[in-house]
Amino acid sequence: MIVGTAGHIDHGKTALVKVLTGTDADRLAEEKARGITIELGFAYADLGGGRVTGFVDVPGHEKFVHTMLAGAGGIDLALLVVAADDGIMPQTREHLAILDLLGITRGLVALTKADLAEPARIVALTAEIAALLAPTGLAGAPVFPVSSLTGAGIAALRAALAEAEAQTATRATGARFRMAVDRSFTLAGAGTVVTGTVLSGRVAAGDHVTVSPSGLAARLRGIHAQNRKADAGLAGQRCALNLAGEGVTREAIHRGDVVLDPALHAPTQRIDVNLRVLDSEPKPLATWFPARLHLGAAETGARIVPLEGPIAPGATGLAQIVLDRPVAAAWGERFILRDTSARRTIGGGSLIDLRPPARRRARPERLALLRAMAL
């Protein structure tokens, strides 16, 4: 199981992950100096059920929502963190909206810094959180008051995570292999290593893969799955892949690339989608609306073309997205749209057609086909 944290800055996400796993997910010197999470952090632990649970710790600052999005794709369960002293804050709401748009329906809420709040405050805030979650896919998620400082409530939260791990079904591995890359680096004695969450299929040492959208060919030299050396990497696991081949360097592979079965390499720059606009938007999305598309760990500029007229705040409609550059994508994959200044989340949805026409895209028969493809 992969658990992704979410929540406002300084609400104790990294401290909570450290208490649960024993690992400080803040690995950069700048993070330790500034006391805030800037990059994605990763930690692993056996929570008591004999299986390794992976944690993706994300930044909570509004300037790093794009980094949060790079880590949110592929998670099995969301751990929403709210500090008892601050309560619900702007990035609590935005991270929750993102999780909802990504279709995340399994989650727990950690009410951190519970040692700083009176019992009445805990009760009132628990009710506020329940009301906030009610219209989302995380409705009814249990709330656990905890303190990373005193250890209060940690055992109950760990037990709930272990139970969720036990209930997480093994993902089918019959599909072709795809892994979204969130890090690329050079390891002494090994060479180029990329990490990410396996979205589908399986891969084994010796397999030949392609890095998309660039088309770079590579051979898999070795695998670590869930932080352990493994013979194969499977859907639903976080993996580190040691890649080799001509031109395979740390600089040649970027966050947002997808390592995949060569048969799946087919980058696209135009996609028809089902798009839901958040009700927080000030006005409808009209033709050629500029935005930033987040797909897996990838981010690129985009233009939105609604296919049935402007899409009002709170509404859902068919649209075509025209991208600034090609991306590796798959049918049904979830995406997020943010504004060009990276200050707010606009909406999101799912991919329908990766090869749509540029002309006559809103014909009635074309719209009927898209609705059928979206089912």
Side-chain angles (χ1 to χ4, degrees):
M1 180 175 75
I2 307 296
V3 178
T5 65
H8 199 79
I9 185 173
D10 199 32
H11 277 201
K13 295 185 293 297
T14 303
L16 181 60
V17 169
K18 185 175 182 180
V19 169
L20 290 168
T21 68
T23 298
D24 184 355
D26 279 350
R27 52 191 168 78
L28 303 181
E30 184 180 358
E31 291 178 315
K32 297 184 183 299
R34 295 175 62 182
I36 65 170
T37 299
I38 298 171
E39 260 296 345
L40 297 175
F42 308 98
Y44 303 86
D46 180 348
L47 298 174
R51 300 166 67 179
V52 177
T53 300
F55 288 80
V56 181
D57 185 37
V58 305
H61 196 285
E62 63 177 340
K63 291 184 179 180
F64 301 117
V65 171
H66 65 286
T67 304
M68 178 268 179
L69 280 159
I75 66 172
D76 297 296
L77 181 139
L79 181 58
L80 181 64
V81 177
V82 182
D85 53 347
D86 278 348
I88 296 167
M89 297 290 281
Q91 264 56 62
T92 313
R93 297 180 184 278
E94 184 170 21
H95 284 200
L96 177 60
I98 288 169
L99 294 172
D100 191 40
L101 290 168
L102 290 175
I104 306 299
T105 58
R106 300 178 66 206
L108 304 173
V109 181
L111 191 51
T112 55
K113 307 183 184 182
D115 53 306
L116 301 180
E118 296 295 328
R121 165 69 172 169
I122 298 294
V123 171
L125 190 51
T126 299
E128 288 180 32
I129 292 170
L132 180 68
L133 298 182
T136 75
L138 294 180
V143 178
F144 296 86
V146 298
S147 170
S148 298
L149 183 64
T150 69
I154 296 296
L157 177 59
R158 182 182 284 111
L161 286 166
E163 182 179 357
E165 169 71 77
Q167 294 173 351
T168 301
T170 302
R171 298 193 196 180
T173 57
R176 292 184 183 273
F177 173 73
R178 297 180 74 244
M179 187 188 89
V181 174
D182 49 45
R183 282 195 300 162
S184 174
F185 55 92
T186 301
L187 194 62
T192 303
V193 176
V194 297
T195 69
T197 299
V198 179
L199 304 175
S200 64
R202 70 188 304 277
V203 71
D207 285 354
H208 290 268
V209 295
T210 297
V211 180
S212 194
S214 68
L216 182 66
R219 180 178 57 83
L220 188 57
R221 296 176 59 186
I223 303 171
H224 276 70
Q226 299 292 80
N227 210 35
R228 297 179 179 181
K229 187 173 178 57
D231 295 327
L234 309 176
Q237 294 181 329
R238 277 203 58 81
C239 288
L241 307 182
N242 183 194
L243 300 179
E246 185 177 352
V248 176
T249 64
R250 174 179 63 85
E251 295 79 12
I253 307 174
H254 311 94
R255 170 176 287 174
D257 287 348
V258 179
V259 179
L260 43 69
D261 184 309
L264 295 181
H265 174 58
T268 181
Q269 204 165 339
R270 184 185 300 272
I271 309 171
D272 281 353
V273 306
N274 198 41
L275 171 61
R276 174 161 71 94
V277 178
L278 293 178
D279 56 14
S280 55
E281 273 301 285
K283 58 183 180 180
L285 267 59
T287 298
W288 223 238
F289 185 95
R292 301 292 296 177
L293 174 88
H294 296 264
L295 181 68
E299 177 186 358
T300 186
R303 292 281 182 167
I304 313 304
V305 182
L307 299 179
E308 301 174 281
I311 305 175
T316 299
L318 297 172
Q320 186 169 107
I321 299 180
V322 182
L323 306 178
D324 288 354
R325 64 175 180 86
V327 296
W331 178 87
E333 201 169 358
R334 295 276 185 158
F335 69 91
I336 298 292
L337 291 177
R338 302 195 80 226
D339 75 307
T340 53
S341 65
R343 292 185 176 180
R344 73 182 191 278
T345 298
I346 294 169
S350 57
L351 309 186
I352 301 175
D353 190 351
L354 309 182
R355 299 287 181 273
R359 297 183 178 184
R360 306 184 70 185
R361 51 196 165 197
R363 291 176 300 164
E365 56 268 34
R366 174 67 188 166
L367 297 179
L369 176 62
L370 288 177
R371 293 189 189 97
M373 293 173 67
L375 295 178

